[in-house]
Amino acid sequence: MDTFIQLTVDALTLGSIYALIALGYTLVYGVLKLLNFAHGDVFMVGSFIGFGVLQLLGGTSNPSVPIWLLLVLVTLAAMAGCAVLGVVIERFAYRPLRDAPRIAPLISALGVSFFLANSMQLLFGAEPRNYDTFSLSNGALYLKGLDIGNVRVSLLRIITISSAFVLMIVLWFLVNRTRTGKAMRATSFDREAAAMMGIDIDRVIVFTFVLGSALAGAAGVLFALRVPTTVSIGFIAGLKGFTAAVIGGIGSIQGAMAGGLILGFAESYTQGYISTKWSDLVVFSILIAFMIFRPQGLLGRAEIRKV
Amino acid sequence: MSEQLAQPEHGPAIGQDEWVARHGQRRSLRGGPLGTLETRLLRVPWWAWLVLFLAAMSLLPLFSSSGYVRRVGFDTVLYMLLALGLNVVVGWGGLLDLGFVAFYGIGAYAYAMLDSDKFGIHLPSLVSVPLIVALGAVVGLLLGLPSRRLSGDYLAIVTLFFLQLFQTLTTNGDNAFGHDLTGGPNGLLNIDPLHAFGHDLIVQHRGVFAVSYYYVALVFFALVFVALRLVNHSRTGRAWRSLREDPLAAEAMGMPVNWLKLMAFSFGAATAAFTGTLFAALNGSVFPLTFYFVLLIIVYTMVILGGSGSMPGVVLGALIVSPLLELLRDPGKSRVVFYLAVLGGVVVAFRFSRKLGLVAAATAAFGFVAHAVAGAVDDRWVAGEHAGGAGGALAHWVIVPSHLAGWVPVVSYVGLIAVGLFLTLVPQRIRLVLLVPTLYLAAFVWENVMLVYPEPARYIVLGVILIALMILRPNGLLGEKRVEII
C-alpha cells in the first residue's frame, strides 16, 4: 500500500509536468496544425534559465530573497524567457512557412530543435546542472510535508503538483474566459473564417506561442527542482509531452491534461511494479493502442475532412 | 484527334498519366548559352551519368592512400545510400519518417546477430544480407500499420517514438528476461566482415583501411540506385508522386493510398537495413547511440539540401554534407570552410556588384581597426591563440582574447543570432550598414566560441542549414519544383 501511495504521488508529479508540456503542443497544434518539435527544447532552455536566475539570486545555499519569492522569481523568469524564445522561433522559423506544404514547417521545427539543443551545449556544456533544492533552509522542502499513511509527501512535490495545477487553471481561464482566448478558439476551429471575422491571426498565433512556451518554461523549472537538468533532456521531454497530447486528443486542452496524467501514471506504475527499463515500451504500446482504437484521442474530436 | 494522342509531346494530352507524371520535365528552360548547355546536358541519359559518377568516385582511392580519406569516402557512400532510402519516404511518398535511422540500426544489429560470435551464427553474407533487407521491409510495413491513416503528424510521432524505442531495446537488451541479446550500451563486438563462398572481405590491409570495402559500397550504391530508379519510373513510382502532391485526389482516382504509403515506408526501411549491414560489417561493432537523433538530422539535411524527390539531388546532398561534417571537425579546415561560406553567401546576396566590393572592403577595414583599437586598450584582448593556428592577416583581423570571461561567449553568440535575425526584418539600406559589424561579430564568434567546441558547433551548422533551406529554398539544389495545384 505504501508503495502504491508513493508511486501515485510520483505519477502525479511526473504527470503534471508532462501535462504542462503537452499543453504547449496542443495549443500550437490547435491553432497552426503544426507539430512543434522544438517545444521539448524550449522546456530544456526553461530549466537552464531557471538555473541561471537561481545562481544570480545567490544560489540555494545562500539565497538573497525568501524561499517562496525565490521559487516564484525563478519560475517567472523561465516563463518569460521561454515566451520570448517561443515568439522568436515562431516569427523566424515557422511564419515564413505558414503556406508551404505541411512537411516544410515540420522539418524546420526539427532543425530548430537540433539547433537549440546544440547551441545550449556549445554555451553551457553537457554536464548536468543541479538546482540543489535540498540546501534550501536545510532540506525543509524534502523533510517536511504531508503524511499519508506511512508515506510522507514532501513539500517539494506538493509545490510541484499544485503549481502545475494552478497554471493549468489559469490557462483554462485565459482560453475560455477572455477575448483573446475566444479568438484563439475561433482560429483553432477555422483559421480562414476567423480571419474573415476580423481576428488578427498573427497576433493570436504569437499569443499561443507565448502561452505554450511559458508553460514549457514553468515545466522546465518544476522538473529541474527535483532532477538535475542537462541540455539533452529536451528530446525525451518533447516526445513524452507530444505523446500525452496525442493520447488526450490533440487540440483539446483538457485532453492534454488528462493525457499527461495518464502518461505519468503509466510510467510510474511500470517503473514501480515491473521494471524501470521498459517504461518507454509501455508508453509506446499505449500510444499505438490509441492510434489503432481511438486515433482522435480521449477527448479530441474526430477529424472531419472537408473537400 | 488520333494524331494528338500518338504524339503526346506536342500538346497537352490531358488524361494520360505519362503527361501528368512528366510535369517536372516540362518546366521552362533558360535561354542563351546556359540554357542550351542545360538542354544538352538533360539529353544525356541517366545511366551515362551514373557510370560517369561511379567512375569518378572509384578514382578517389588513387588520389590518396590514407586510410582516413578512404574511410570518409566509404562513410559518404553509406550516407548516399541512406539519403536514397530516406528520399523514397520523404521525397516520393511525402511522409515524414523520423524513425528512419532505427531501420539502419535494425539492419546493423541484425547483421551483428547473424554474423558474429555472439550467438555463434555465421551466415554467409549472400544469405544474411537479403534476409536482413526483407526483415527491414517487413518491420517498416508493421510500423506503418498502426497509424492507419498515416497522416503526417501522427506518423511523425509514431516513427520518432519508434526510434526512441529502438534505443531503449538496444540499450536494455543486455538483460531481456535474463538473456543478453544486444550487449546493452557496450554494443556488439567482433562482427564478421562480409564473407561469401568461404572468403572473408578483410577490413584492414596492413593496418590501413582496405579499399575493397569502398568498392563494395559503390557497387551496393549502384545496385540500389538502379533498383530505386526503376521503382520510381514504374507505376508505383508515379502513384507515389501523385500521392505526395495530393493524397485526396489520388484516393479519388482509385489509388490504394494506404498501401502505397506502406510501400514507400517499406522500401525506405529496406534500403536503410541494407546500408546497416554494410556499416556493421565494416566497423565490426555496433552501439545503440550510433543510430539516434543526430544521424537522423544529418540524413535529413542531406535529403533536403540536395532536393527531396530527386535521386541525383540527394546523392549530391550526401556528397556535400558528409565531407563538410568531416572538415568541420578540424579547427584549421573548419575556419577555411567558414570564411569561404561567408564569402559565398555575400556573393550570392549581392552578385558581383559595387555593393559587394563595398561590404567586403568595409568589413576588412572594420576588422583591422577593431583589432588595433582592442590591442591598444589592452594587450591581452588580442593575445589569444587561434584554435588550430591561423597566420597572416587573419591574426591581425579577428580579436581573439587570451582569456574569455564566462559571459562573453553567451552574449556574443546570442547577440549574433539576434542581430542576424533582426537583419532580415529591416530595410535594405540599414541592412547594408549593419551587415559589416554583423559579419565581424560572426567571425569573432566562430573563432572564439565555435572553433573551441567542434562537436556541437558542426551540428549547429547543420541545424542552421536545415532551417535556412526550408525557408529560402525548400526544393534544395536539384529538387524539382513542386506544382501548386489549386
Side-chain angles (χ1 to χ4, degrees):
Chain A
M1 193 60 199
D2 289 349
T3 330
F4 179 77
I5 294 172
Q6 186 62 52
L7 288 177
T8 309
V9 176
D10 263 354
L12 278 175
T13 327
L14 204 60
S16 55
I17 289 173
Y18 284 155
L20 284 181
I21 305 173
L23 281 171
Y25 273 116
T26 224
L27 286 172
V28 169
Y29 194 92
V31 171
L32 270 186
K33 300 284 173 285
L34 164 71
L35 205 168
N36 181 10
F37 283 113
H39 195 65
D41 294 280
V42 173
F43 163 84
M44 175 270 292
V45 172
S47 70
F48 270 77
I49 295 176
F51 182 78
V53 173
L54 194 64
Q55 299 308 310
L56 277 183
L57 293 174
T60 42
S61 48
N62 185 24
S64 51
V65 289
I67 295 179
W68 65 269
L69 187 61
L70 184 75
L71 291 180
V72 169
L73 281 179
V74 165
T75 313
L76 283 182
M79 289 173 80
C82 285
V84 172
L85 182 65
V87 171
V88 170
I89 292 173
E90 192 275 326
R91 177 66 188 80
F92 292 98
Y94 300 154
R95 193 178 295 183
L97 295 171
R98 207 172 283 165
D99 297 321
R102 266 180 89 177
I103 201 167
L106 285 178
I107 292 173
S108 178
L110 273 184
V112 173
S113 157
F114 200 58
F115 176 79
L116 277 182
N118 282 293
S119 295
M120 291 299 281
Q121 190 184 338
L122 177 78
L123 298 177
F124 302 106
E127 62 270 18
R129 300 295 153 99
N130 194 345
Y131 277 31
D132 194 18
T133 35
F134 196 80
S135 306
L136 276 176
S137 66
N138 300 322
L141 286 179
Y142 286 82
L143 302 176
K144 284 183 193 161
L146 205 65
D147 284 323
I148 305 176
N150 294 324
V151 180
R152 169 158 295 177
V153 183
S154 70
L155 204 55
L156 194 61
R157 282 182 190 280
I158 295 174
I159 291 176
T160 308
I161 298 170
S162 54
S163 32
F165 276 91
V166 167
L167 284 171
M168 286 185 226
I169 291 165
V170 170
L171 177 81
W172 184 88
F173 185 80
L174 278 176
V175 172
N176 287 311
R177 289 284 181 272
T178 63
R179 261 178 88 81
T180 323
K182 207 176 200 175
M184 234 168 96
R185 281 180 291 141
T187 312
S188 156
F189 191 73
D190 188 334
R191 200 200 306 172
E192 269 179 38
M196 285 174 204
M197 296 301 142
I199 292 174
D200 185 348
I201 300 296
D202 280 341
R203 240 192 76 211
V204 170
I205 290 174
V206 166
F207 183 68
T208 311
F209 269 86
V210 167
L211 280 186
S213 307
L215 289 181
V221 170
L222 292 182
F223 172 80
L225 283 178
R226 294 180 307 112
V227 188
T229 175
T230 69
V231 291
S232 54
I233 56 167
F235 179 69
I236 307 275
L239 197 56
K240 297 279 171 64
F242 192 77
T243 308
V246 168
I247 290 177
I250 192 132
S252 149
I253 290 174
Q254 290 92 326
M257 300 177 191
L261 288 177
I262 290 176
L263 211 60
F265 277 103
E267 234 186 281
S268 178
Y269 289 145
T270 319
Q271 286 177 353
Y273 290 121
I274 303 171
S275 154
T276 48
K277 286 178 181 175
W278 304 108
S279 62
D280 276 351
L281 188 65
V282 172
V283 172
F284 185 69
S285 314
I286 294 177
L287 179 68
I288 294 289
F290 265 95
M291 288 281 169
I292 294 175
F293 297 112
R294 207 174 157 81
Q296 73 270 34
L298 270 185
L299 301 174
R301 284 186 307 269
E303 194 183 333
I304 301 163
R305 217 165 28 158
K306 279 172 269 183
V307 184
Chain B
M1 187 67 192
S2 62
E3 272 175 27
Q4 271 188 2
L5 281 176
Q7 294 170 315
E9 277 88 0
H10 294 299
I14 293 168
Q16 296 201 350
D17 74 346
E18 271 304 310
W19 186 83
V20 176
R22 282 206 191 133
H23 73 79
Q25 293 168 14
R26 285 194 311 277
R27 60 185 168 202
S28 55
L29 293 169
R30 269 180 281 187
L34 266 179
T36 321
L37 187 70
E38 202 181 339
T39 326
R40 290 273 162 78
L41 286 180
L42 281 177
R43 256 182 231 151
V44 179
W46 66 273
W47 48 266
W49 282 116
L50 180 63
V51 170
L52 209 66
F53 176 72
L54 288 174
M57 287 295 283
S58 57
L59 288 181
L60 175 81
L62 297 182
F63 288 117
S64 170
S65 56
S66 97
Y68 173 68
V69 173
R70 289 177 183 180
R71 178 68 219 231
V72 173
F74 176 82
D75 286 344
T76 307
V77 178
L78 283 194
Y79 278 129
M80 293 187 322
L81 279 167
L82 284 179
L84 281 178
L86 187 62
N87 181 44
V88 177
V89 198
V90 177
W92 296 345
L95 309 165
L96 195 65
D97 176 6
L98 298 180
F100 183 72
V101 295
F103 296 110
Y104 182 46
I106 287 176
Y109 264 91
Y111 184 84
M113 289 174 180
L114 292 178
D115 289 84
S116 72
D117 301 331
K118 182 78 187 170
F119 301 111
I121 312 172
H122 298 275
L123 284 180
S125 301
L126 284 177
V127 178
S128 62
V129 172
L131 208 64
I132 290 165
V133 172
L135 174 81
V138 170
V139 177
L141 212 61
L142 288 180
L143 177 63
L145 277 177
S147 26
R148 258 177 312 177
R149 288 178 301 158
L150 287 165
S151 78
D153 315 304
Y154 285 103
L155 185 71
I157 206 68
V158 169
T159 50
L160 191 61
F161 218 123
F162 180 68
L163 178 62
Q164 179 61 29
L165 195 67
F166 175 77
Q167 281 302 313
T168 315
L169 289 177
T170 47
T171 317
N172 298 326
D174 52 348
N175 184 16
F177 309 108
H179 299 286
D180 181 2
L181 295 178
T182 65
N186 299 325
L188 291 173
L189 309 172
N190 297 325
I191 302 167
D192 301 347
L194 290 177
H195 53 106
F197 308 118
H199 292 286
D200 280 357
L201 194 62
I202 48 159
V203 175
Q204 298 267 331
H205 183 68
R206 293 194 200 119
V208 180
F209 177 67
V211 84
S212 48
Y213 266 89
Y214 179 68
Y215 287 116
V216 168
L218 272 184
V219 171
F220 275 33
F221 167 75
L223 287 178
V224 169
F225 192 94
V226 172
L228 289 181
R229 193 188 140 97
L230 290 178
V231 172
N232 189 28
H233 283 251
S234 71
R235 226 182 136 70
T236 312
R238 288 197 299 274
W240 276 336
R241 263 166 291 157
S242 73
L243 173 76
R244 179 192 67 192
E245 298 300 338
D246 192 337
L248 200 63
E251 200 170 357
M253 293 311 222
M255 295 198 184
V257 171
N258 281 344
W259 179 241
L260 281 171
K261 285 176 179 175
L262 288 177
M263 287 264 284
F265 221 70
S266 179
F267 265 93
T271 312
F274 184 52
T275 318
T277 60
L278 211 52
F279 174 86
L282 177 95
N283 283 306
S285 56
V286 287
F287 305 98
L289 278 176
T290 316
F291 314 100
Y292 210 25
F293 197 52
V294 175
L295 184 65
L296 183 76
I297 296 287
I298 293 176
V299 184
Y300 260 94
T301 314
M302 288 167 177
V303 170
I304 303 293
L305 176 68
S308 78
S310 150
M311 292 181 70
V314 299
V315 171
L316 179 72
L319 217 50
I320 295 173
V321 174
S322 165
L324 176 73
L325 282 175
E326 282 306 318
L327 290 176
L328 288 179
R329 267 184 213 276
D330 176 70
K333 291 171 187 153
S334 175
R335 171 178 294 121
V336 176
V337 170
F338 171 74
Y339 289 110
L340 283 182
V342 170
L343 197 65
V346 177
V347 169
V348 168
F350 295 114
R351 305 289 155 90
F352 289 97
S353 66
R354 214 155 25 146
K355 278 182 193 160
L356 174 68
L358 213 65
V359 168
T363 312
F366 186 90
F368 287 120
V369 171
H371 191 276
V373 170
V377 175
D378 193 331
D379 273 350
R380 281 171 301 170
W381 284 9
V382 291
E385 283 284 320
H386 286 256
L394 195 60
H396 297 285
W397 189 70
V398 192
I399 298 176
V400 179
S402 54
H403 173 73
L404 277 185
W407 57 270
V408 176
V410 180
V411 170
S412 59
Y413 184 80
V414 176
L416 176 64
I417 296 171
V419 177
L421 294 178
F422 178 68
L423 278 188
T424 62
L425 299 180
V426 296
Q428 179 85 39
R429 195 174 300 167
I430 305 173
R431 191 184 307 164
L432 203 62
V433 177
L434 282 179
L435 190 61
V436 173
T438 310
L439 286 179
Y440 189 72
L441 181 62
F444 177 82
V445 169
W446 190 265
E447 295 279 345
N448 287 293
V449 187
M450 310 278 274
L451 282 186
V452 186
Y453 304 104
E455 203 48 32
R458 59 197 198 117
Y459 295 140
I460 289 173
V461 171
L462 272 195
V464 172
I465 291 179
L466 208 50
I467 302 169
L469 267 178
M470 280 334 288
I471 291 167
L472 299 175
R473 202 181 160 86
N475 27 328
L477 293 175
L478 295 182
E480 54 184 80
K481 283 209 179 74
R482 298 280 288 270
V483 181
E484 280 295 325
I485 303 165
I486 303 167

